[in-house]
Amino acid sequence: MARIYLSPPHASGRELELVADAISSNWIAPLGPHVDAFEQELAAFAGVDHAVALSSGTAALHLALVVLGIGRGDEVACSSLTFSASANAVVYTGATPFFVDCDETWTLDPELLDAALTERPRTKAVIAVDLYGECCDYEAIAKVCKQHEVVLVQDAAESLGATYRGAPAGGQGALAAFSFNGNKIITTSGGGMLVSDDGDQIEHARKLSTQAREPAPHYQHVELGFNYRLSNVLAALGRAQLEVLPDRVAARRRLRDRYREQLGTLPGISFMPESPETQGNAWLTCAVVSPAAFGADREAIRLALEAEDIESRPLWKPMHLQPYYADHAVYGGDVSAALFADGLCLPSGSALSQDDQDRVITIIRGCADSSLQL
């Protein structure tokens, strides 16, 4: 049987048409009409006024901090339970990240954030990470940021298509970053987008993303720039993917619901919660395994799946446990550490068939101690 991947790309059927248009028109690189259209369409979908298409979500986070003036001597609060790009972008600017634990929602804990910002007056920004397609509690986090006079940046790399209080993910911070990496809910093979209602900041980011070239007939530079723009060919791919985003969200939510129905009644298995204020995109379905109750630990399940050519993955290893960031401050940490120890991401691709999902479910059920299921 074919390998089951964690979150593979899922073509819409229009990719070849739009990519062929980009090639036949000779708008291959660096920019072109598909880039302009992709920016407009994504901004409209996210409910924001402005967007700039970039080479990755990491580039979007980096430019967000640069246009906010974050640099050496500054500190930035960051969710600990996240992919490394959230913290790495801070280091790129010369600023110093510190880490804040999650709460029972698995996203940034507003109370711990408040305590951290009270102790750290050099903090200039907060990067709040929407985890596995679930938005943070932005009302509470924005209130804390306003009280401490720090700017809120939304890492929405995993939450495109989700909503917070009925509003699309991406409009909750001063700036927000999306990712179109190959494993995301839609993909440009590699790419990202920086969005905001602040047109001046987006235009500054746009300039910086093309090596900060000044409007002159020769190459003139008065500030440091970066080679961060998305190509017209990849933007064409993104437009085809964006057309079917609601369908992809619906498919992943159905998969998540079925995992919960089929596995959630087993002793020792629970799933990432969904707040009543949010509707996640179910980018990845994530389970937590209690070994004592289930009869096997997360790693035993992962290895059993891998033995049948099925990809799964532990949750993000918290940043405060990463060797590179071992000497950085952390507030809390036990919640995310426990989730990493016992959490597993299950195959969640929007094209996953019911038969293949049944394969996954059967193997997980087979890992359980039968005496504990009586």
Side-chain angles (χ1 to χ4, degrees):
M1 288 182 282
R3 180 168 175 78
I4 298 176
Y5 290 96
L6 186 70
S7 181
H10 185 183
S12 72
R14 281 246 295 157
E15 286 84 359
L16 283 176
E17 175 188 344
L18 295 184
V19 169
D21 176 76
I23 294 171
S24 65
S25 66
N26 208 34
W27 284 104
I28 296 175
L31 300 172
H34 285 294
V35 173
D36 297 338
F38 189 34
E39 290 173 346
Q40 294 164 8
E41 291 160 3
L42 193 286
F45 192 94
V48 295
D49 292 336
H50 306 280
V52 55
L54 302 167
S55 56
S56 67
T58 309
L61 285 171
H62 183 200
L63 289 184
L65 297 172
V66 172
V67 300
L68 290 170
I70 307 298
R72 195 168 303 279
D74 296 332
E75 292 189 332
V76 177
C78 183
S79 303
S80 187
L81 189 59
T82 182
F83 177 57
S84 61
S86 310
N88 291 351
V90 179
V91 177
Y92 297 163
T93 69
T96 301
F98 64 90
F99 303 109
V100 180
D101 205 356
C102 57
D103 59 17
E104 67 279 359
T105 69
W106 299 22
T107 60
L108 186 64
D109 186 327
E111 292 185 6
L112 274 179
L113 178 64
D114 186 26
L117 296 183
T118 299
E119 289 186 9
R120 309 187 80 87
R122 291 197 303 167
T123 306
K124 294 297 190 297
V126 170
I127 297 179
V129 179
D130 296 339
L131 196 75
Y132 297 121
E134 295 291 331
C135 289
C136 298
D137 183 356
Y138 282 107
E139 182 179 37
I141 291 171
K143 182 178 179 181
V144 171
C145 290
K146 182 177 181 180
Q147 177 185 344
H148 293 278
E149 299 181 334
V150 300
V151 67
L152 174 59
V153 175
Q154 181 178 8
D155 183 343
E158 300 171 12
S159 65
L160 180 64
T163 62
Y164 175 75
R165 296 195 165 191
Q172 287 70 43
L175 296 123
F178 289 112
S179 171
F180 310 123
N181 188 38
N183 66 356
K184 293 301 189 291
I185 198 160
I186 67 169
T187 184
T188 57
S189 79
M193 193 86 75
L194 181 65
V195 304
S196 178
D197 286 328
D198 189 321
D200 290 339
Q201 289 182 335
I202 292 298
E203 286 310 305
H204 189 194
R206 193 185 310 278
K207 174 188 172 185
L208 293 175
S209 72
T210 52
Q211 297 289 17
R213 183 182 178 184
E214 297 293 326
H218 54 278
Y219 282 87
Q220 174 101 346
H221 308 274
V222 298
E223 58 185 327
L224 182 65
F226 310 92
N227 185 16
Y228 277 172
R229 271 305 231 156
L230 189 72
S231 78
N232 196 56
V233 173
L234 296 186
L237 183 62
R239 293 185 69 200
Q241 291 270 289
L242 186 60
E243 290 175 351
V244 295
L245 176 57
D247 295 336
R248 301 301 183 246
V249 172
R252 290 186 188 240
R253 287 181 62 86
R254 285 194 298 270
L255 288 171
R256 183 201 59 187
D257 291 346
R258 191 160 184 270
Y259 276 129
R260 287 175 170 172
E261 291 168 3
Q262 297 294 315
L263 298 173
T265 57
L266 295 178
I269 295 283
S270 60
F271 290 87
M272 183 179 185
E274 184 175 54
S275 164
E277 295 180 339
T278 70
Q279 180 169 298
N281 66 12
W283 170 54
L284 293 182
T285 295
C286 302
V288 175
V289 182
S290 172
F294 185 70
D297 62 15
R298 174 261 288 165
E299 189 62 6
I301 296 172
R302 189 188 71 79
L303 292 174
L305 290 169
E306 187 59 43
E308 297 297 327
D309 214 13
I310 298 172
E311 182 184 21
S312 61
R313 187 174 69 192
L315 301 191
W316 298 126
K317 184 174 184 178
M319 289 300 100
H320 72 276
L321 299 180
Q322 296 287 354
Y324 184 81
Y325 291 111
D327 61 346
H328 289 244
V330 59
Y331 290 79
D334 290 345
V335 177
S336 54
L339 289 170
F340 170 65
D342 295 329
L344 187 67
C345 303
L346 303 179
S348 304
S350 50
L352 186 69
S353 69
Q354 184 168 313
D355 286 346
D356 280 346
Q357 189 179 22
D358 284 341
R359 284 178 59 195
V360 176
I361 290 168
T362 298
I363 292 166
I364 294 174
R365 283 184 169 273
C367 291
D369 185 334
S370 59
S371 68
L372 298 173
Q373 298 185 54
L374 299 177

